[in-house]
Amino acid sequence: MNLSPLQKARYEYTPKLPGMLRNGIADICVKEGAPTQSVADQEQIKALFPNTYGKKEVTFEKGQNTSVAKKQIVGVILSGGQAPGGHNVICGLYDALKATNKDNVLIGFKGGPSGLIDDKYIIFEDAFINEYRNTGGFDIIGSGRTKLETEEQFAVVTDVCKKHGVTAIVIIGGDDSNTNAAVLAEYMAAHDTGVQVIGCPKTIDGDLKNDDIECSFGFDTATKTYSELIGNIERDANSAKKYWHFVKVMGRSASHVALECALETQPNICLIGEEVAEKKMSLSQIADQIVDSVVKRSETAGNFGVAIIPEGIVEFVPEFSMLIKEINELLAGENTAKFNALESWEEKYDFIKKGLSQEALAVFDVLPHAIQLQLFLERDPHGNVQVSLIESEKLFSEMVKEKLAKLTAEGKYKGKFSAQHHFFGYEGRCAFPSNFDADYCYSLGYNAFMLIQYGYTGYLSKVSNLSKPAEEWVAGGMPISKMFNMERRNGKDKPVIRKALVELDGKPFKYFEAHREAWAVETAYTYPGAIQYYGPAEVCDLTTRTLALEKG
Ligand code: FBP
């Protein structure tokens, strides 16, 4: 196999474990804290999880290992979108498992949760796993978005576990996957299968965090990758002084990625979906905010700038959500075929005009034509608009262009405006994990095995105190049901981990808010550069500004 020099060097990197896990397996003991309660709706959740609710918080300490010796056969799956560090979770799990007993077995179920149902698997061995240490991607076993949530699926999983003698399953995923991990743990306990289930917090979106989980893995590397690119674009913009760059960054709903990139690069504009929703901003008001910066900068800095747009922004704009809802209703059932049969845009527009409320039509009419087309052409199999495919970076740059043209015609704007568009998402999801993510993920996996070995189930592997050096990190576990509240999903009340949105009274947003007016006008760009893997710890082991501000 051809290896790049960095790939070779990263194979040799030894991830840092929390101090308490460093002395070897024989010296890890467990300390139980107080029984836990879910963050809300305690009675309902307790009733749904009679076997796994209310368990104690767990931390590991240096001391005599008192876990029961038994052969462990552990199954692991990767679930959902890729996030840098996934391979290291598996490596940490494997190393702890083998260090405990070389006869222990780690099975990787392939292609995400469906691998566990279809019984597609590999058995990990040293030579194979060594090719994935400290590398990005989920290609070691692949991932998928099948949800493991029904009793029928759980029954199949039970059979697969029986066939292999599986004693525990580790699910590496986001809020939904870990919610389902807790439901599976309860099922396994209720049916006395002896199979434990442990979750690990993953997602580049950064929206799986709460009082217990300081951050999900992958967020650090993905935001550093995007910030490097944004910083490079800022420098290009500042050199050429002729373009406004509209950069959309991933984050299906929450704006944590956009906010972190803004803290790292100090762009002229960064939209935050949660603020847009709170202030009930219209599309036009958002475009006005950008226009204001373009006009002011044109008079001082020049006709250039950088705006960061979070992927999920349009869903936070109340009038846009209303429009999408009406379009979905308008095209329900047979109407899709009727609409598709219309040949010209005029006929289609007429159909739309008759079917939408006046308010929705007014919003539709301000959209650039390319976006109007996207709303009607790119729909999912149920006929719903695919909001994630909407090119919001182009939507806002077009709206800004139109507003500036009007100002120019009125003699109120004399500058130029030329836009470039970018979308940074997949570029960051499989990058070589930063030292932080390499260390954090390895620790999560190692720790997950300690939870298994000590007999816990329905727990999330928890490593905290992350803004400090790894030596001071705290390893342990938290019952997943502690993070639950009841939410309405598809017409039913379900226990779920609440998605963490950007808190408008939180320190990261407050810092951004205090500086953004100056950044909108001045050229205050900062250039983070590429992720550094080797060199001084203050450069290489630095975590996100978000975590530093939250914990600082
Ligand atoms: P997860 O929540 O599964 O970690 O995935 C997050 C994400 O990367 C989002 O940022 C993005 O919107 C989405 O996945 C893209 O999904 P896909 O890989 O299916 O295109």
Short mmCIF file of all heavy atoms in Angstrom, two decimals, residues 6-17 22 88 91 95 130 132-135 432-442 470 473 532-535 537 540-541:
data_model
loop_
_atom_site.label_atom_id
_atom_site.label_comp_id
_atom_site.label_asym_id
_atom_site.label_seq_id
_atom_site.Cartn_x
_atom_site.Cartn_y
_atom_site.Cartn_z
N LEU A 6 2.75 11.67 6.03
CA LEU A 6 1.97 12.00 7.23
C LEU A 6 1.21 10.77 7.74
O LEU A 6 1.13 10.53 8.93
CB LEU A 6 0.98 13.15 6.95
CG LEU A 6 0.20 13.60 8.20
CD1 LEU A 6 1.12 14.24 9.24
CD2 LEU A 6 -0.91 14.60 7.84
N GLN A 7 0.70 9.99 6.77
CA GLN A 7 -0.03 8.77 7.15
C GLN A 7 0.89 7.85 7.98
O GLN A 7 0.50 7.36 9.03
CB GLN A 7 -0.47 8.08 5.87
CG GLN A 7 -1.70 7.22 6.00
CD GLN A 7 -2.14 6.71 4.63
OE1 GLN A 7 -1.74 7.25 3.59
NE2 GLN A 7 -2.93 5.68 4.62
N LYS A 8 2.12 7.69 7.47
CA LYS A 8 3.08 6.83 8.17
C LYS A 8 3.35 7.37 9.57
O LYS A 8 3.33 6.64 10.55
CB LYS A 8 4.41 6.81 7.41
CG LYS A 8 4.49 5.72 6.38
CD LYS A 8 5.94 5.57 5.93
CE LYS A 8 5.97 5.62 4.42
NZ LYS A 8 7.24 5.92 3.83
N ALA A 9 3.57 8.69 9.61
CA ALA A 9 3.89 9.30 10.90
C ALA A 9 2.72 9.17 11.87
O ALA A 9 2.91 8.90 13.06
CB ALA A 9 4.26 10.77 10.70
N ARG A 10 1.50 9.32 11.36
CA ARG A 10 0.33 9.25 12.25
C ARG A 10 0.11 7.84 12.78
O ARG A 10 -0.42 7.66 13.87
CB ARG A 10 -0.94 9.78 11.56
CG ARG A 10 -0.95 11.26 11.31
CD ARG A 10 -0.54 12.09 12.50
NE ARG A 10 -1.61 12.37 13.44
CZ ARG A 10 -1.41 12.91 14.63
NH1 ARG A 10 -0.19 13.22 15.04
NH2 ARG A 10 -2.43 13.16 15.45
N TYR A 11 0.50 6.83 12.01
CA TYR A 11 0.39 5.46 12.53
C TYR A 11 1.18 5.30 13.83
O TYR A 11 0.85 4.52 14.70
CB TYR A 11 0.93 4.44 11.52
CG TYR A 11 0.03 4.18 10.32
CD1 TYR A 11 0.52 3.51 9.21
CD2 TYR A 11 -1.31 4.57 10.30
CE1 TYR A 11 -0.29 3.23 8.11
CE2 TYR A 11 -2.11 4.32 9.20
CZ TYR A 11 -1.60 3.65 8.11
OH TYR A 11 -2.39 3.39 7.03
N GLU A 12 2.28 6.08 13.89
CA GLU A 12 3.19 5.95 15.05
C GLU A 12 2.76 6.80 16.23
O GLU A 12 3.30 6.67 17.32
CB GLU A 12 4.62 6.37 14.65
CG GLU A 12 5.21 5.62 13.45
CD GLU A 12 5.23 4.11 13.66
OE1 GLU A 12 5.48 3.69 14.80
OE2 GLU A 12 4.92 3.37 12.71
N TYR A 13 1.82 7.71 16.02
CA TYR A 13 1.43 8.63 17.10
C TYR A 13 0.77 7.84 18.23
O TYR A 13 -0.09 6.99 17.98
CB TYR A 13 0.45 9.67 16.54
CG TYR A 13 -0.10 10.63 17.58
CD1 TYR A 13 0.67 11.67 18.07
CD2 TYR A 13 -1.41 10.48 18.07
CE1 TYR A 13 0.15 12.56 19.01
CE2 TYR A 13 -1.93 11.35 19.01
CZ TYR A 13 -1.14 12.38 19.48
OH TYR A 13 -1.66 13.25 20.42
N THR A 14 1.17 8.15 19.46
CA THR A 14 0.54 7.48 20.62
C THR A 14 -0.48 8.44 21.23
O THR A 14 -0.10 9.46 21.80
CB THR A 14 1.60 7.12 21.69
OG1 THR A 14 2.61 6.36 21.04
CG2 THR A 14 0.99 6.34 22.83
N PRO A 15 -1.76 8.13 21.11
CA PRO A 15 -2.76 9.05 21.66
C PRO A 15 -2.65 9.16 23.17
O PRO A 15 -2.30 8.18 23.84
CB PRO A 15 -4.10 8.41 21.27
CG PRO A 15 -3.79 7.37 20.26
CD PRO A 15 -2.37 6.95 20.47
N LYS A 16 -2.94 10.34 23.68
CA LYS A 16 -2.82 10.58 25.12
C LYS A 16 -4.12 10.15 25.81
O LYS A 16 -5.20 10.57 25.42
CB LYS A 16 -2.54 12.06 25.39
CG LYS A 16 -1.23 12.54 24.79
CD LYS A 16 -0.91 13.96 25.18
CE LYS A 16 -1.52 15.01 24.27
NZ LYS A 16 -1.11 14.97 22.85
N LEU A 17 -3.99 9.34 26.85
CA LEU A 17 -5.15 8.94 27.65
C LEU A 17 -5.28 9.88 28.85
O LEU A 17 -4.29 10.49 29.27
CB LEU A 17 -4.95 7.52 28.18
CG LEU A 17 -5.20 6.35 27.22
CD1 LEU A 17 -4.68 5.05 27.84
CD2 LEU A 17 -6.69 6.22 26.89
N ARG A 22 -3.85 5.73 32.60
CA ARG A 22 -2.52 5.52 32.02
C ARG A 22 -1.71 4.39 32.62
O ARG A 22 -0.73 3.96 32.04
CB ARG A 22 -1.70 6.81 32.12
CG ARG A 22 -2.15 7.83 31.10
CD ARG A 22 -1.28 9.04 31.09
NE ARG A 22 -1.91 10.08 30.27
CZ ARG A 22 -1.42 11.28 30.09
NH1 ARG A 22 -0.29 11.61 30.67
NH2 ARG A 22 -2.06 12.15 29.33
N ASN A 88 -10.13 6.05 15.78
CA ASN A 88 -9.43 5.95 17.06
C ASN A 88 -10.32 5.45 18.19
O ASN A 88 -9.84 4.86 19.15
CB ASN A 88 -8.82 7.31 17.44
CG ASN A 88 -7.38 7.39 17.01
OD1 ASN A 88 -7.00 6.70 16.06
ND2 ASN A 88 -6.58 8.19 17.69
N CYS A 91 -9.88 1.91 17.80
CA CYS A 91 -8.52 1.50 18.23
C CYS A 91 -8.42 1.47 19.76
O CYS A 91 -7.84 0.54 20.34
CB CYS A 91 -7.46 2.45 17.67
SG CYS A 91 -7.32 2.37 15.88
N ASP A 95 -7.63 -1.79 21.91
CA ASP A 95 -6.43 -1.90 22.75
C ASP A 95 -6.80 -2.25 24.19
O ASP A 95 -6.14 -3.09 24.82
CB ASP A 95 -5.62 -0.59 22.70
CG ASP A 95 -4.93 -0.42 21.35
OD1 ASP A 95 -4.97 -1.37 20.54
OD2 ASP A 95 -4.36 0.66 21.10
N ASN A 130 -4.00 -1.61 12.78
CA ASN A 130 -2.85 -0.69 12.77
C ASN A 130 -2.83 0.22 11.55
O ASN A 130 -2.20 1.27 11.55
CB ASN A 130 -1.54 -1.48 12.85
CG ASN A 130 -1.33 -2.07 14.23
OD1 ASN A 130 -2.00 -1.65 15.18
ND2 ASN A 130 -0.44 -3.04 14.34
N TYR A 132 -5.27 1.87 10.52
CA TYR A 132 -6.27 2.92 10.67
C TYR A 132 -6.00 3.85 11.85
O TYR A 132 -6.75 4.78 12.08
CB TYR A 132 -7.66 2.29 10.82
CG TYR A 132 -8.11 1.64 9.53
CD1 TYR A 132 -7.83 0.31 9.28
CD2 TYR A 132 -8.78 2.39 8.57
CE1 TYR A 132 -8.21 -0.28 8.09
CE2 TYR A 132 -9.16 1.80 7.37
CZ TYR A 132 -8.89 0.47 7.14
OH TYR A 132 -9.26 -0.09 5.96
N ARG A 133 -4.91 3.60 12.57
CA ARG A 133 -4.65 4.40 13.77
C ARG A 133 -4.44 5.87 13.42
O ARG A 133 -3.72 6.19 12.48
CB ARG A 133 -3.42 3.87 14.51
CG ARG A 133 -3.69 2.55 15.19
CD ARG A 133 -2.53 2.04 16.00
NE ARG A 133 -2.84 0.69 16.45
CZ ARG A 133 -3.51 0.40 17.57
NH1 ARG A 133 -3.87 1.38 18.38
NH2 ARG A 133 -3.79 -0.84 17.89
N ASN A 134 -5.12 6.74 14.15
CA ASN A 134 -4.97 8.20 14.02
C ASN A 134 -5.28 8.72 12.62
O ASN A 134 -4.76 9.75 12.21
CB ASN A 134 -3.55 8.63 14.44
CG ASN A 134 -3.19 8.09 15.81
OD1 ASN A 134 -3.87 8.37 16.78
ND2 ASN A 134 -2.14 7.29 15.88
N THR A 135 -6.09 7.99 11.88
CA THR A 135 -6.48 8.45 10.54
C THR A 135 -7.95 8.89 10.57
O THR A 135 -8.72 8.48 11.44
CB THR A 135 -6.33 7.33 9.50
OG1 THR A 135 -7.12 6.21 9.91
CG2 THR A 135 -4.88 6.89 9.35
N PHE A 432 -7.53 13.98 8.78
CA PHE A 432 -6.75 13.35 9.86
C PHE A 432 -7.17 14.02 11.16
O PHE A 432 -7.12 15.25 11.25
CB PHE A 432 -5.25 13.63 9.67
CG PHE A 432 -4.55 12.71 8.73
CD1 PHE A 432 -4.24 13.11 7.44
CD2 PHE A 432 -4.18 11.44 9.15
CE1 PHE A 432 -3.59 12.25 6.57
CE2 PHE A 432 -3.51 10.58 8.27
CZ PHE A 432 -3.23 10.98 6.98
N PRO A 433 -7.57 13.26 12.18
CA PRO A 433 -8.00 13.91 13.42
C PRO A 433 -6.88 14.75 14.03
O PRO A 433 -5.71 14.34 14.02
CB PRO A 433 -8.38 12.75 14.33
CG PRO A 433 -7.92 11.51 13.65
CD PRO A 433 -7.72 11.81 12.21
N SER A 434 -7.25 15.91 14.52
CA SER A 434 -6.30 16.76 15.26
C SER A 434 -5.81 15.94 16.46
O SER A 434 -6.43 14.92 16.82
CB SER A 434 -7.05 17.99 15.78
OG SER A 434 -8.11 17.57 16.64
N ASN A 435 -4.75 16.42 17.11
CA ASN A 435 -4.29 15.69 18.30
C ASN A 435 -5.41 15.59 19.32
O ASN A 435 -5.59 14.56 19.97
CB ASN A 435 -3.07 16.38 18.92
CG ASN A 435 -1.82 16.13 18.09
OD1 ASN A 435 -1.86 15.37 17.11
ND2 ASN A 435 -0.73 16.77 18.45
N PHE A 436 -6.20 16.68 19.44
CA PHE A 436 -7.31 16.64 20.41
C PHE A 436 -8.26 15.50 20.08
O PHE A 436 -8.60 14.69 20.94
CB PHE A 436 -8.07 17.98 20.41
CG PHE A 436 -9.30 17.93 21.29
CD1 PHE A 436 -9.22 18.16 22.65
CD2 PHE A 436 -10.55 17.63 20.74
CE1 PHE A 436 -10.35 18.07 23.46
CE2 PHE A 436 -11.68 17.54 21.54
CZ PHE A 436 -11.59 17.76 22.91
N ASP A 437 -8.72 15.45 18.82
CA ASP A 437 -9.68 14.40 18.47
C ASP A 437 -9.05 13.01 18.52
O ASP A 437 -9.71 12.04 18.91
CB ASP A 437 -10.30 14.66 17.08
CG ASP A 437 -11.56 15.51 17.18
OD1 ASP A 437 -12.28 15.39 18.19
OD2 ASP A 437 -11.83 16.29 16.25
N ALA A 438 -7.77 12.90 18.12
CA ALA A 438 -7.10 11.59 18.19
C ALA A 438 -7.07 11.11 19.64
O ALA A 438 -7.39 9.96 19.94
CB ALA A 438 -5.69 11.68 17.62
N ASP A 439 -6.71 12.02 20.56
CA ASP A 439 -6.61 11.65 21.98
C ASP A 439 -7.99 11.40 22.58
O ASP A 439 -8.21 10.42 23.30
CB ASP A 439 -5.93 12.79 22.78
CG ASP A 439 -4.52 13.10 22.30
OD1 ASP A 439 -3.96 12.28 21.54
OD2 ASP A 439 -3.99 14.17 22.67
N TYR A 440 -8.92 12.31 22.29
CA TYR A 440 -10.27 12.23 22.87
C TYR A 440 -10.95 10.92 22.41
O TYR A 440 -11.54 10.19 23.22
CB TYR A 440 -11.06 13.47 22.41
CG TYR A 440 -12.49 13.57 22.93
CD1 TYR A 440 -12.83 13.18 24.22
CD2 TYR A 440 -13.50 14.09 22.11
CE1 TYR A 440 -14.14 13.29 24.68
CE2 TYR A 440 -14.81 14.21 22.56
CZ TYR A 440 -15.12 13.80 23.85
OH TYR A 440 -16.42 13.91 24.30
N CYS A 441 -10.84 10.64 21.13
CA CYS A 441 -11.53 9.46 20.59
C CYS A 441 -10.93 8.18 21.13
O CYS A 441 -11.66 7.25 21.50
CB CYS A 441 -11.46 9.47 19.07
SG CYS A 441 -12.49 10.77 18.41
N TYR A 442 -9.60 8.13 21.17
CA TYR A 442 -8.94 6.92 21.71
C TYR A 442 -9.40 6.72 23.16
O TYR A 442 -9.73 5.60 23.57
CB TYR A 442 -7.42 7.09 21.61
CG TYR A 442 -6.65 5.85 21.95
CD1 TYR A 442 -6.44 4.86 21.00
CD2 TYR A 442 -6.14 5.67 23.24
CE1 TYR A 442 -5.74 3.71 21.32
CE2 TYR A 442 -5.44 4.51 23.57
CZ TYR A 442 -5.24 3.54 22.60
OH TYR A 442 -4.55 2.39 22.92
N ALA A 470 -4.60 16.53 28.54
CA ALA A 470 -5.19 15.19 28.63
C ALA A 470 -4.91 14.51 29.97
O ALA A 470 -5.76 13.80 30.50
CB ALA A 470 -4.67 14.32 27.48
N TRP A 473 -7.75 15.00 32.16
CA TRP A 473 -9.10 14.61 31.74
C TRP A 473 -9.67 13.59 32.73
O TRP A 473 -8.93 12.84 33.37
CB TRP A 473 -9.07 13.97 30.35
CG TRP A 473 -8.77 14.95 29.24
CD1 TRP A 473 -8.57 16.29 29.36
CD2 TRP A 473 -8.62 14.63 27.85
NE1 TRP A 473 -8.30 16.83 28.12
CE2 TRP A 473 -8.33 15.84 27.18
CE3 TRP A 473 -8.69 13.46 27.10
CZ2 TRP A 473 -8.12 15.90 25.80
CZ3 TRP A 473 -8.48 13.51 25.73
CH2 TRP A 473 -8.20 14.72 25.09
N GLN A 532 -1.90 21.50 13.02
CA GLN A 532 -0.51 21.07 13.27
C GLN A 532 -0.53 19.81 14.12
O GLN A 532 -1.20 19.77 15.15
CB GLN A 532 0.26 22.18 13.99
CG GLN A 532 0.31 23.50 13.21
CD GLN A 532 1.07 23.36 11.89
OE1 GLN A 532 2.22 22.90 11.89
NE2 GLN A 532 0.43 23.74 10.80
N TYR A 533 0.21 18.81 13.67
CA TYR A 533 0.22 17.54 14.39
C TYR A 533 1.48 17.37 15.22
O TYR A 533 1.50 16.62 16.18
CB TYR A 533 0.09 16.38 13.40
CG TYR A 533 -1.21 16.43 12.62
CD1 TYR A 533 -1.29 17.03 11.36
CD2 TYR A 533 -2.37 15.91 13.18
CE1 TYR A 533 -2.48 17.08 10.66
CE2 TYR A 533 -3.58 15.96 12.49
CZ TYR A 533 -3.62 16.54 11.23
OH TYR A 533 -4.81 16.60 10.56
N TYR A 534 2.55 18.07 14.82
CA TYR A 534 3.83 17.92 15.51
C TYR A 534 4.37 19.31 15.84
O TYR A 534 4.40 20.18 14.97
CB TYR A 534 4.83 17.15 14.65
CG TYR A 534 4.29 15.77 14.32
CD1 TYR A 534 3.66 15.53 13.10
CD2 TYR A 534 4.36 14.74 15.26
CE1 TYR A 534 3.12 14.29 12.81
CE2 TYR A 534 3.82 13.50 14.98
CZ TYR A 534 3.19 13.27 13.76
OH TYR A 534 2.64 12.06 13.49
N GLY A 535 4.79 19.49 17.09
CA GLY A 535 5.33 20.79 17.49
C GLY A 535 4.87 21.11 18.90
O GLY A 535 4.41 20.22 19.63
N ALA A 537 2.92 21.99 22.22
CA ALA A 537 1.57 21.61 22.65
C ALA A 537 0.60 22.79 22.52
O ALA A 537 -0.57 22.61 22.19
CB ALA A 537 1.60 21.10 24.08
N CYS A 540 -0.36 22.54 18.93
CA CYS A 540 -0.88 21.26 18.41
C CYS A 540 -2.04 20.69 19.20
O CYS A 540 -2.84 19.95 18.64
CB CYS A 540 0.23 20.22 18.37
SG CYS A 540 1.61 20.72 17.35
N ASP A 541 -2.09 20.98 20.49
CA ASP A 541 -3.12 20.32 21.31
C ASP A 541 -4.28 21.26 21.65
O ASP A 541 -5.14 20.93 22.47
CB ASP A 541 -2.50 19.78 22.61
CG ASP A 541 -1.52 18.65 22.33
OD1 ASP A 541 -1.43 18.22 21.16
OD2 ASP A 541 -0.83 18.22 23.26
#
